[in-house]
Amino acid sequence: MRATTTASTLEQDRAAFIERYPAYAKTGAIDELRDTEFRRLDDQKLVYLDYTGGGLYPASVVERHATFLTTHVLGNPHSVNPASALAGRCVEACRAHVLRFFNASPDEYAVVFTANASHALKLVGEAYPFEPGDQLLLTYDNHNSVNGIREFDRAHGAETTYVPVIPPDLRVEGARLERLLSRATPGGHNLFAYPAQSNFSGVQHPLEWIATAQNHGWDVLLDAAAFVPTNCLDLSRVHPDYVALSFYKMFGHPTGVGALIAKRSALAKLHRPWFSGGTITVASVQGDRHFLAEGAAAFEDGTLDYTNIPAVDAGLSFLDEVGLDLIHERVSCLTGWLLETMLALHHPNGRPLIKIFGPVTTADRGATIAFSVHDQAGAVVDHDDVERRAAEAGISLRTGCFCNPGAGEVALGLSAGELDRCFTDSGDRMTKEDFGRCLEGGKSPGAVRVSLGLVSTFADVYAFVRFAAGLT
Ligand SMILES: Cc1ncc(COP(=O)(O)O)c(C=O)c1O
């Protein structure tokens, strides 16, 4: 393919792109959505490349939701009064919709509404029955909201093991994982947690690990937050014990609602560390007892976000109408072009402008690309500077470690010894600036990330590449 140069035009490059990725031409329905549902992006000349940070909401989902709220009377669920009963029915209908969307049998799975994916992960972590001798197995590229589960594990005297990701692709070595999985504590509680898609590198780890781990005696917690916005997760084909996700990552609105989709048997295994309004059938002050509700209700503390949950219903319907397969196809084409074109960018002296962290082809990877920008001498350009210049150009991208320190450490070449040295004598608090200062040889503690989603277009990735080429 032709490397993008300032001499080529959007139309010429789009034609070359479609020749190379003909499947993109079949996703034109999304261009129509871009003109209708997401018009605000082009009206405001904004290039949005942070879908892994947060999805964008279609105008009609917000309108449907607003119309629903302004034409119905909703009250706090759990009562027979009409306003309460309607809210209760909406919540239950949405629960059923979530199960249908992920092709999960209601006999096998239950949906617990949470505030977000992190909250879903915490519900599992704090209630998993870790005991001395039990194990938690994590991949290096877990999000911090999964890494945090190790604190519950340690507090109960259980062991945490990490399986590394290996550069340059930042994937896990299959044989190494198999070895660790084969060491489950017999008769114990073993929890294996990994991301279906890394929010750092875009790597999509095999979903086949789920059955393999379960066959070795592990419960599997699948962090699907970065995967489900552009990939089908079919819970009739794979059967993780727990799945965590946030709906705003899928369709932008509402924020503040996520889900823990859990096997009913796996929910029953959890021991909630407390009780609260909504989670019990009976609690007594003088009798000093409480009795937890069955299933999902035992995990939904206090009042659910019952005014926003109907928007989840609208968002899922929207995705169903567009088709996740279509979205997937489109972002795969765009990711392929973006990877090739970013790698083709060079300084006049021949040095590469960009180093990509993670796979450089679309095989088993999603539409999230982490990278560093380099100057003519090969030194890393400060990611804050790249973000600031992108913002000036109307481009939304993200920089830092994306709450994924393990993948970042490997990608950026930070060794355990170096990190130990930094953290020894650091006291109780450390700022990002302190951390940056203590790294050897001016290494950067962060990267730049662009990510594609629901209504990404060729014009978006083209604008980004033109911007990046101007960083020389
Ligand atoms: C893979 C992954 N897991 C978990 C989370 C946490 O999601 P939330 O902030 O919505 O709780 C994120 C957020 O970016 C993510 O990308």
Side-chain angles (χ1 to χ4, degrees), residues 36-37 57-70 253 314:
T36 51
E37 298 275 0
Y57 45 82
S60 68
V61 166
V62 179
E63 281 154 15
R64 268 176 72 180
H65 184 213
T67 304
F68 178 78
L69 291 180
T70 50
H253 174 74

Side-chain angles (χ1 to χ4, degrees), residues 193-216:
Y194 77 97
Q197 177 172 317
S198 162
N199 69 314
F200 185 97
S201 61
V203 161
Q204 293 184 339
H205 294 300
L207 294 177
E208 290 76 17
W209 287 355
I210 297 167
T212 309
Q214 288 167 336
N215 290 338
H216 281 294

Side-chain angles (χ1 to χ4, degrees), residues 52-53 116-119 121 143 145-146 195 197-199 223-226 246 248-249 402 449:
T52 301
N116 46 38
S118 303
H119 178 204
L121 294 161
H143 189 277
S145 298
V146 178
Q197 177 172 317
S198 162
N199 69 314
D223 176 3
S246 284
Y248 73 88
K249 293 209 190 278
F402 326 121
R449 183 182 78 184

